[in-house]
Amino acid sequence: MDFYQIMLFYKDAFDPKYFLFLSFILIVFYDWKNQTKEIKYFFERIAVISISYIVALIIIDLIMMQIVGRSSSYPQYLEDYSNLAGLMLGLALSVALWKKFKFGKEFLHAAFGLLAVSIPFAVISYFWNISGHVTYTAAPVTYLVLLDRRLLLLYAIPVVMVFNRPYVGAHTPLQSISGFILGTALMFFSIKIIHELRKTGQS
């Protein structure tokens, strides 16, 4: 296996559709740990995330079938939008269930952060092919690091992805770097805003 094949494997291994799910598993762990230590509540949270993830994948597949069914050639933003539609509806379902079962705040904050990232990403991707792989690996890693500084090494994943996307010919270097900045900065500032609002509400 040469280096190019390794990089192709890397972009598939850390595809946002799968990486976001794995990131949410970690977030769920902190959500559970910070609220309760009873193991049954951890598996309840995993069940909610898993159901929402399956719903998101089904939505993405249905939308892509409609796009591909009509044409074998379509602009990249249509694929981005189908992924975003699945992500948003999956998040909406999981947030509704999260509130119903009165789980912790960590997942809800992560969902808000992803929404803050996704709105400008959707606008930008219509006009310019900003990297979704970089954006949606950088954003969840940023949130995880804000939860626990010991997870700082996870930043290696989006950093390598910044180099990966131009190397495999999917994006320009600027599109990859912009994805990193967008995912990191908007997640960071949206979570900071949440924390400030919570402090204000408690004072």
Side-chain angles (χ1 to χ4, degrees):
M1 182 180 290
D2 60 22
F3 187 68
Y4 181 76
Q5 290 175 315
I6 292 171
M7 293 298 266
L8 287 177
F9 173 78
Y10 186 88
K11 66 100 176 172
D12 289 336
F14 293 103
D15 186 296
K17 282 188 288 191
Y18 313 121
F19 186 71
L20 281 171
F21 179 70
L22 293 175
S23 298
F24 274 122
I25 295 296
L26 264 177
I27 292 167
V28 162
F29 169 76
Y30 283 96
D31 191 284
W32 166 76
K33 182 174 72 72
N34 293 337
Q35 190 182 45
T36 178
K37 293 295 177 68
E38 291 188 52
I39 193 67
K40 68 175 183 177
Y41 295 117
F42 176 72
F43 289 110
E44 284 182 359
R45 286 165 166 81
I46 294 296
V48 167
I49 292 297
S50 299
I51 292 168
S52 301
Y53 177 71
I54 291 168
V55 168
L57 287 184
I58 291 171
I59 292 166
I60 292 169
D61 286 343
L62 288 174
I63 295 173
M64 286 304 298
M65 283 172 61
Q66 290 297 315
I67 295 170
V68 175
R70 293 177 182 175
S71 173
S72 59
S73 177
Y74 49 87
Q76 176 61 40
Y77 71 82
L78 289 179
E79 184 175 346
D80 291 337
Y81 283 6
S82 68
N83 290 329
L84 285 171
L87 174 63
M88 291 300 104
L89 290 173
L91 281 178
L93 175 60
S94 55
V95 166
L97 292 172
W98 222 257
K99 289 187 173 181
K100 175 180 174 58
F101 295 118
K102 298 180 180 179
F103 293 153
K105 65 184 184 298
E106 285 77 11
F107 173 80
L108 297 176
H109 291 177
F112 175 80
L114 276 179
L115 177 62
V117 171
S118 296
I119 293 172
F121 176 84
V123 174
I124 294 169
S125 66
Y126 182 81
F127 300 99
W128 191 53
N129 190 22
I130 187 171
S131 174
H133 275 72
V134 178
T135 303
Y136 288 96
T137 50
V141 165
T142 298
Y143 184 71
L144 284 166
V145 171
L146 288 173
L147 276 180
D148 191 339
R149 297 297 190 275
R150 292 173 295 182
L151 300 176
L152 190 63
L153 287 177
L154 287 178
Y155 265 120
I157 295 170
V159 167
V160 173
M161 194 67 79
V162 168
F163 295 96
N164 175 282
R165 305 310 286 147
Y167 187 82
V168 300
H171 294 278
T172 66
L174 184 58
Q175 289 166 346
S176 287
I177 294 168
S178 298
F180 185 86
I181 294 170
L182 180 72
T184 303
L186 288 183
M187 179 60 79
F188 178 84
F189 286 114
S190 63
I191 300 307
K192 288 297 182 185
I193 289 170
I194 289 174
H195 289 169
E196 288 301 319
L197 289 174
R198 286 178 64 86
K199 287 180 184 177
T200 303
Q202 292 171 355
S203 61

